[in-house]
Amino acid sequence: MNRVMRILRALWIRLLGFFGSARWDRELSAELESHLQLHTDDNLRAGMTPYQARRQALIKLGGIEQTKQAYRERGTLPFMEKLMQDLRFAIRLLRRDPSFSIVAVLVLTLGIAASTAIFGFVDAALIKPLPYVEPGRLAAVTEQIALLGRANLSYPDYLDWKRRNTVFRSLDVFTSNGYLLNTSGGNVMVPGARVSDGFFSTLGITPMLGRDFYTGEDVPGGPQNVIITYAAWQQRFGGRRDIVGHAVTLSGATFTVIGVLPRSFQFALRGRAEFWAPLQATGECALRRSCHNLNGIARLNDGVSLQQAYAQMQAIAAQLERQYPDSNRGQGASVIPLSEAVVGNIRPILLTLLAGSGLLLAIACINVASLLLVRSEGRRREFAVRGALGASHLRLIRQFVTEGALLVAASVALGLGSAYGTMQLLSHLVPANMLAAMPYLRGIGLNLHCLVFVLAVSILSLALFSLTPIVRMSTAELRGRLAQGSRGSSSITWRRLGSHLVVVELAIAVVLLVGAGLLGKSLYRLLRVELNFQPDHLATLDVALPQHSYTNDAQIVAISRQLLHRVSALPGVQSASITSILPVSSNGNTDWIRFVGRPYDGKHIEVPLRDVSPNYFTTLHTRLLRGRIFTEDDNGSKPLVVIINNALAKKYFPGEDPIGKQLGGITLDPKSIKQIVGIVDDLKEGSLESNIVPAVYYPFSQDTDSYYFLIMRTSQSEESVLPTLAAAIHQVDPGIGTTAETSMTARINDSQIAYLHRLSAWLAGGFGFLALVLSSVGLYGVIAYSVGQREREIGVRMALGAQRASVYRLILTEAGKLAVWGIAAGTLCSLAATNLLRTMLFGVQPWDIAILASVAFLLAVSALLASYVPAHRGASIQPIAALRSE
Amino acid sequence: MGDKTDVWQGTLALMVLRTLESMGSLHGYGIARRIEQTSGDILSLNYGTLYPALLKLEQEGAIASEWGTSENNRKAKFYKLTRTGRKQLQKEARDWEQTTAILARFLTPAEDQ
């Protein structure tokens, strides 16, 4: 122990000595001088002559310089000293050739910044575990149906699932909810959720203030308590410490705040919810197995795998299907990791972008490596001389490594800075509604994972940069070089290595450009998909009627009519209509239908259902194909009517006229029978990428809702109308909640699918563009160097009568070969690579010929431009000058 | 630096420590002379090698130095033992005695046989 301490102490002092070496030198000189004087004094006393006395003292000391050298080696760290020499030399070299250094550092910075920034997102979304206790044991549990895949769970089913399963330690549910909150600006809708009592404890979350829900607090008739998020506490209640026990009025009912969730709490599946109330499932829906409005989360029992849990839930769902065929036919179970439910949709995009940025980094590294190669070529003599003067092979290699390290260090410093900036920029560009669904992106930055990533990248690139020149500088060559003088056979080996690197660069550029092209075309196709309505000049708004003021259908119909009337009178509004669900949102919110007078096999015909006002289709500019649209007359006192879309007519009434036919619920309850009065065009109800499915539309006055959307056709820009809507509605009744005044085009463009496609297309496009630039620069470098090396050869050729045109041909052929190889290899690689993109493409095949051809053409043109400059220089060589220069 | 020097430096360090223990504060030249005298002039020291050894001991904290004036009024750097140095000396002296005692048993001819 003691010994280790002593050695460490000595090391530390030596390290200090390394920095104050000048002072050390002076001190030692003084000490040695005093030593010599003392010794000389003694010798004088012994009777020597002054000259002898001094001389003997020096001999006995063994030489001042030798002593100093030994002393210095002990006094500082010789290794560090050599390192500093290498560093100083490297810095001097890099400064002597600033264009090389700047280009190399910039190129590398670009690669590091791009890949690190993307890695930051990958880390935040895919690597970092969800912020719950043992997140790996959490599962998302829902029903599974043919129309939508994973779909909501009904309350009676949930109770059965919870009771019968043995695979979950706990199974809890949540459902979205909006609350009307009275603020200074009138009633506003605030997002909330209702959850079963064990929801937070299943996640492993404890409130930072107050308490969690007690067991049984979620049954109907339980206390009206609510837990709020940290953000709601700060923004709605000013962060007051006595918030627990405080009463708050939500949608006209009084709730008591019993807890505040920790600041770090996030739940992506209901990202924006501020108020979390106990489920307390009441009403007609809670009793009905066919009313699906819940989402489940569960914690697996110890030792139970996800597959086992899935198998048991499937079995339970099958039991329920047999028990309740009417309501549970075709209602399977889905059990997936909670993380999959949260990030499953962006995983392929993030991984694709990571791969793209990795390829860009590869191009950047190869580019810098070939620049270093060019330089090492020019420094062959320098190294030969140093070798001949006795520098060890190791010392020469160390010089390369030091130079490489310096480049990498500078680029890492710049790269980390720009990566941080890029991350901040990108995460600020994420729209708020998107960020609510991706809370894990909040607080993205340079964390430990990113630093480890950068470290790994820098070690790899440093290895590449040190290895390439080392491979070039084999011992044999070092010896031969001095005698040989300068140029000759070796440049051929270099040219070969350099050319290979350029071919690789071009191939990678092709892959990136093809990927970017495909994603760009997907985005184009996605945004121009047939909607069967005119999305521009549509203003939209969410409306929530307070349930305690509007209790029956007649009241709801009356106030809604009043709202439409008021809003239609606003300047700039041509027509106003109501729908229960906006188009281009989701195929969810469905009904099970059955046709009167047809055999029924009990298999559910599940179709999206929308409650709309009479002028809905005319407002949207959706064509009526047959029959009629709804009228004000289709109200609760008249026979029920329905409008179907074209897809439904085609699928269920091929070769028949559906008008006048009847459909109803699965039991054909007389109260559910409706007559088909019209067929409309296939209005896009689901998200942009989804398929058109058969759908039904009911008159709002025959099937009311207290939460719906207003859609207004405007004569001027939507933006001029949007701000006036809420005030107009509050004039009718200040108790009505409004939110999300947005134009239809904005809703479509900001929808998750459009956003993700746009993000990936733009980023991939950026990577592709940079790859194009870098690979062209790389090609230029190789050709320019080759021309430089062959100056004399070209001179001789021209002296012997070669035409300028043939010199152009010579050089352009060389470049053309490289370009053709690169493009061909890249095309092959991209055929393989883009297959991985398949899931992210929309309306375009991975082997899109037009894109492949245009990428090949683009690269060929840029290769031609990149090689034209050196070719021109080659052709302008004056034979006499070239020959004389030797 | 080969192994030989290390061993030599190790013993030199012990000699320096022992010299400083008996003499108190002393300058480099004095230490060198004293070592030669103590060895009965058998050891002929290259004085220059003393200074790196002194530096090493100082870096390890076994000795401390200070500029002062010699008996005949010359400026000189004086070294003296620290507490750590005293402990180190005791331990190394013990080790050394042990080593030499063991070696002595091997090298002296066995008398009782």
Side-chain angles (χ1 to χ4, degrees):
Chain A
M1 267 303 137
N2 227 338
R3 195 179 148 70
V4 176
M5 285 301 294
R6 277 205 326 258
I7 291 174
L8 282 181
R9 183 193 146 103
L11 254 179
W12 172 240
I13 294 179
R14 289 172 81 175
L15 192 66
L16 288 182
F18 165 70
F19 290 106
S21 51
R23 195 175 55 82
W24 281 84
D25 251 25
R26 275 201 308 279
E27 177 128 358
L28 178 65
S29 298
E31 188 172 11
L32 289 181
E33 192 41 50
S34 116
H35 173 106
L36 286 174
Q37 272 171 359
L38 288 168
H39 200 168
T40 311
D41 285 352
D42 272 6
N43 285 349
L44 282 174
R45 242 170 284 144
M48 291 188 199
T49 62
Y51 174 76
Q52 272 289 325
R54 174 95 186 163
R55 191 175 136 77
Q56 282 303 320
L58 269 172
I59 290 173
K60 191 68 180 141
L61 183 68
I64 291 187
E65 279 316 311
Q66 285 87 332
T67 306
K68 275 190 177 172
Q69 178 63 27
Y71 192 85
R72 204 175 295 129
E73 275 177 16
R74 177 63 217 181
T76 72
L77 295 167
F79 165 80
M80 285 281 287
E81 215 147 73
K82 279 188 198 151
L83 185 71
M84 283 310 282
Q85 281 173 9
D86 282 349
L87 264 180
R88 267 195 294 271
F89 187 61
I91 291 175
R92 211 178 308 142
L93 269 177
L94 292 178
R95 275 173 53 181
R96 203 177 59 192
D97 197 352
S99 55
F100 160 81
S101 316
I102 291 172
V103 168
V105 168
L106 278 186
V107 165
L108 207 52
T109 300
L110 195 77
I112 291 178
S115 55
T116 309
I118 298 295
F119 178 80
F121 281 85
V122 170
D123 174 58
L126 307 183
I127 297 178
K128 248 196 247 156
L130 294 173
Y132 310 123
V133 174
E134 284 189 69
R137 303 293 294 161
L138 289 171
V141 183
T142 58
E143 290 191 355
Q144 173 91 24
I145 57 171
L147 178 71
L148 302 170
R150 284 168 15 87
N152 291 346
L153 189 60
S154 71
Y155 186 62
D157 283 351
Y158 161 61
L159 293 181
D160 281 326
W161 284 20
K162 188 172 181 164
R163 203 163 36 234
R164 295 187 194 180
N165 90 79
T166 57
V167 289
F168 298 129
R169 189 183 299 171
S170 57
L171 171 60
D172 282 279
V173 287
F174 66 95
T175 180
S176 302
N177 203 9
Y179 289 109
L180 285 174
L181 182 73
N182 203 304
T183 65
S184 51
N187 262 3
V188 291
M189 286 292 308
V190 290
R194 290 188 299 134
V195 298
S196 57
D197 52 16
F199 180 81
F200 293 112
S201 66
T202 293
L203 292 178
I205 299 285
T206 12
M208 57 171 287
L209 283 180
R211 62 168 177 90
D212 194 356
F213 296 122
Y214 291 140
T215 309
E217 208 164 341
D218 62 346
V219 295
Q224 298 265 58
N225 290 336
V226 66
I227 293 178
I228 62 176
T229 59
Y230 183 88
W233 178 43
Q234 292 299 318
Q235 285 152 25
R236 310 254 180 228
F237 302 100
R240 48 190 291 184
R241 298 301 297 183
D242 61 344
I243 182 70
V244 173
H246 189 74
V248 56
T249 307
L250 297 175
S251 300
T254 306
F255 285 79
T256 310
V257 177
I258 58 159
V260 178
L261 292 168
R263 188 174 196 169
S264 60
F265 171 76
Q266 49 165 265
F267 189 71
L269 301 179
R270 185 60 185 148
R272 288 178 306 163
E274 296 179 29
F275 293 88
W276 298 73
L279 186 61
Q280 300 179 355
T282 47
E284 175 265 350
C285 181
L287 303 172
R288 203 152 50 86
R289 283 184 191 273
S290 55
C291 184
H292 302 95
N293 63 346
L294 303 175
N295 270 295
I297 56 162
R299 185 171 287 279
L300 293 169
N301 255 331
D302 290 337
V304 173
S305 73
L306 203 75
Q307 286 72 25
Q308 289 165 331
Y310 174 63
Q312 193 182 66
M313 296 319 289
Q314 279 286 26
I316 294 174
Q319 283 172 13
L320 292 174
E321 261 191 84
R322 282 191 299 277
Q323 245 176 308
Y324 310 101
D326 275 358
S327 59
N328 283 51
R329 179 96 192 236
Q331 308 284 307
S334 157
V335 180
I336 60 170
L338 183 61
S339 58
E340 187 61 32
V342 173
V343 298
N345 57 344
I346 68 161
R347 175 177 292 122
I349 290 175
L350 281 178
L351 291 183
T352 303
L353 290 177
L354 185 66
S357 66
L359 288 177
L360 188 67
L361 178 65
I363 291 199
C365 284
I366 292 173
N367 226 319
V368 174
S370 56
L371 283 175
L372 280 169
L373 262 183
V374 170
R375 242 168 51 111
S376 80
E377 200 61 21
R379 287 168 66 188
R380 287 201 321 251
R381 271 188 92 133
E382 173 206 326
F383 278 90
V385 170
R386 284 179 70 176
L389 288 179
S392 70
H393 200 51
L394 198 69
R395 187 71 198 270
L396 293 183
I397 289 175
R398 256 177 61 175
Q399 182 64 46
F400 282 125
V401 177
T402 314
E403 286 176 39
L406 211 58
L407 282 180
V408 171
S411 317
V412 163
L414 288 174
L416 277 180
S418 13
Y420 180 77
T422 313
M423 280 186 215
Q424 296 303 315
L425 183 72
L426 284 178
S427 61
H428 277 111
L429 288 179
V430 178
N433 63 330
M434 217 60 67
L435 203 59
M438 301 191 275
Y440 40 83
L441 291 188
R442 253 176 243 146
I444 188 171
L446 293 173
N447 58 15
L448 193 63
H449 290 170
C450 293
L451 294 183
V452 170
F453 175 82
V454 170
L455 189 69
V457 164
S458 30
I459 289 174
L460 277 178
S461 49
L462 179 57
L464 179 70
F465 300 154
S466 324
L467 277 180
T468 23
I470 290 171
V471 167
R472 276 284 297 114
M473 292 268 153
S474 69
T475 343
E477 283 191 347
L478 274 180
R479 253 184 253 115
R481 196 65 53 224
L482 194 59
Q484 209 184 42
S486 58
R487 49 201 65 168
S489 60
S490 76
S491 38
I492 291 174
T493 42
W494 177 77
R495 256 172 22 214
R496 220 164 271 157
L497 184 54
S499 320
H500 289 331
L501 290 180
V502 166
V503 169
V504 173
E505 270 187 82
L506 288 170
I508 296 179
V510 171
V511 173
L512 280 176
L513 283 170
V514 169
L518 289 173
L519 290 172
K521 195 162 173 180
S522 287
L523 175 67
Y524 181 86
R525 286 274 162 86
L526 188 73
L527 293 181
R528 272 156 196 77
V529 75
E530 185 52 68
L531 298 174
N532 285 317
F533 74 93
Q534 214 178 313
D536 59 301
H537 289 90
L538 284 180
T540 68
L541 167 87
D542 296 29
V543 171
L545 302 179
Q547 278 162 10
H548 51 93
S549 331
Y550 304 97
T551 47
N552 60 42
D553 289 345
Q555 284 175 327
I556 293 177
V557 170
I559 184 71
S560 302
R561 220 169 254 172
Q562 236 179 305
L563 285 186
L564 284 181
H565 191 73
R566 176 70 191 89
V567 169
S568 306
L570 283 174
V573 174
Q574 288 177 341
S575 65
S577 62
I578 288 175
T579 176
S580 54
I581 304 280
L582 285 173
V584 202
S585 58
S586 121
N587 277 330
N589 207 334
T590 57
D591 200 3
W592 291 327
I593 56 166
R594 184 178 160 180
F595 301 100
V596 175
R598 288 197 189 181
Y600 183 58
D601 60 0
K603 220 168 145 185
H604 288 153
I605 300 175
E606 184 153 21
V607 293
L609 131 76
R610 305 292 181 254
D611 300 318
V612 302
S613 63
N615 58 350
Y616 179 62
F617 299 109
T618 44
T619 303
L620 287 186
H621 293 182
T622 295
R623 284 187 307 146
L624 175 73
L625 302 178
R626 283 186 62 77
R628 64 167 176 91
I629 56 172
F630 299 134
T631 65
E632 295 294 340
D633 239 19
D634 296 319
N635 56 37
S637 62
K638 298 282 164 49
L640 302 182
V641 291
V642 54
I643 291 177
I644 61 174
N645 70 356
N646 201 22
L648 196 146
K650 274 196 195 141
K651 183 162 180 194
Y652 295 102
F653 298 95
E656 274 182 85
D657 184 3
I659 304 293
K661 298 279 190 325
Q662 288 180 318
L663 54 81
I666 41 177
T667 53
L668 286 186
D669 177 354
K671 276 190 283 181
S672 73
I673 305 295
K674 305 168 187 74
Q675 190 176 38
I676 299 173
V677 295
I679 305 171
V680 289
D681 215 349
D682 291 326
L683 183 53
K684 187 80 156 185
E685 296 292 352
S687 56
L688 283 176
E689 90 289 9
S690 66
N691 295 323
I692 294 287
V693 293
V696 295
Y697 300 89
Y698 299 156
F700 184 81
S701 19
Q702 293 183 343
D703 189 27
T704 61
D705 302 90
S706 53
Y707 193 112
Y708 53 79
F709 301 85
L710 288 182
I711 302 189
M712 276 69 56
R713 172 73 57 191
T714 62
S715 54
Q716 30 191 305
S717 89
E718 304 93 312
E719 273 63 36
S720 61
V721 174
L722 288 173
T724 63
L725 294 172
I729 289 167
H730 287 144
Q731 275 172 15
V732 178
D733 177 357
I736 294 176
T738 60
T739 188
E741 298 90 335
T742 323
S743 70
M744 193 68 216
T745 25
R747 285 204 195 239
I748 293 174
N749 286 333
D750 291 346
S751 68
Q752 187 164 354
I753 185 78
Y755 176 73
L756 292 180
H757 267 81
R758 187 174 320 116
L759 181 77
S760 45
W762 277 104
L763 283 178
F767 293 164
F769 172 74
L770 292 174
L772 179 69
V773 171
L774 289 186
S775 59
S776 306
V777 169
L779 183 65
Y780 166 80
V782 167
I783 300 301
Y785 178 72
S786 153
V787 170
Q789 290 290 295
R790 294 167 74 181
E791 218 166 78
R792 198 156 68 128
E793 177 203 326
I794 293 169
V796 171
R797 279 169 187 259
M798 292 178 83
L800 293 178
Q803 295 299 306
R804 293 205 185 278
S806 71
V807 175
Y808 270 112
R809 203 178 315 127
L810 181 77
I811 297 166
L812 289 180
T813 310
E814 186 188 342
K817 266 188 204 152
L818 294 182
V820 167
W821 274 113
I823 292 172
T827 308
L828 280 179
C829 291
S830 56
L831 282 180
T834 50
N835 240 330
L836 303 173
L837 279 182
R838 192 182 286 271
T839 54
M840 294 170 52
L841 298 183
F842 177 83
V844 49
Q845 291 299 326
W847 53 84
D848 190 290
I849 298 295
I851 288 177
L852 281 177
S854 18
V855 165
F857 178 72
L858 185 66
L859 264 184
V861 169
S862 69
L864 188 70
L865 286 178
S867 42
Y868 177 77
V869 180
H872 181 71
R873 210 175 53 220
S876 330
I877 286 173
Q878 295 300 319
I880 304 296
L883 291 174
R884 202 184 285 143
S885 76
E886 269 308 292
Chain B
M1 274 188 270
D3 286 348
K4 238 166 128 187
T5 333
D6 274 348
V7 172
W8 172 238
Q9 269 198 352
T11 43
L12 181 62
L14 189 54
M15 290 178 205
V16 169
L17 290 176
R18 181 76 186 92
T19 307
L20 286 176
E21 191 196 29
S22 56
M23 303 295 292
S25 176
L26 199 58
H27 46 71
Y29 173 68
I31 297 172
R33 287 304 295 266
R34 179 71 192 171
I35 288 176
E36 279 187 344
Q37 280 167 15
T38 315
S39 76
D41 285 329
I42 299 172
L43 264 181
S44 172
L45 201 60
N46 199 345
Y47 289 175
T49 55
L50 185 68
Y51 286 95
L54 281 171
L55 178 58
K56 179 170 184 280
L57 284 172
E58 196 176 0
Q59 284 168 349
E60 291 174 354
I63 58 174
S65 68
E66 193 177 28
W67 284 91
T69 322
S70 75
E71 57 273 32
N72 41 8
N73 240 348
R74 293 277 187 200
K75 239 170 73 85
K77 201 175 181 184
F78 281 78
Y79 294 89
K80 67 168 192 276
L81 216 52
T82 63
R83 270 216 342 239
T84 332
R86 211 168 289 279
K87 266 188 250 162
Q88 191 182 338
L89 171 63
Q90 279 165 10
K91 185 176 174 299
E92 281 185 15
R94 215 168 35 240
D95 290 353
W96 185 252
E97 273 163 21
Q98 240 171 25
T99 316
T100 44
I102 294 168
L103 271 178
R105 287 192 193 193
F106 280 94
L107 298 177
T108 45
E111 279 166 13
D112 36 358
Q113 274 184 358

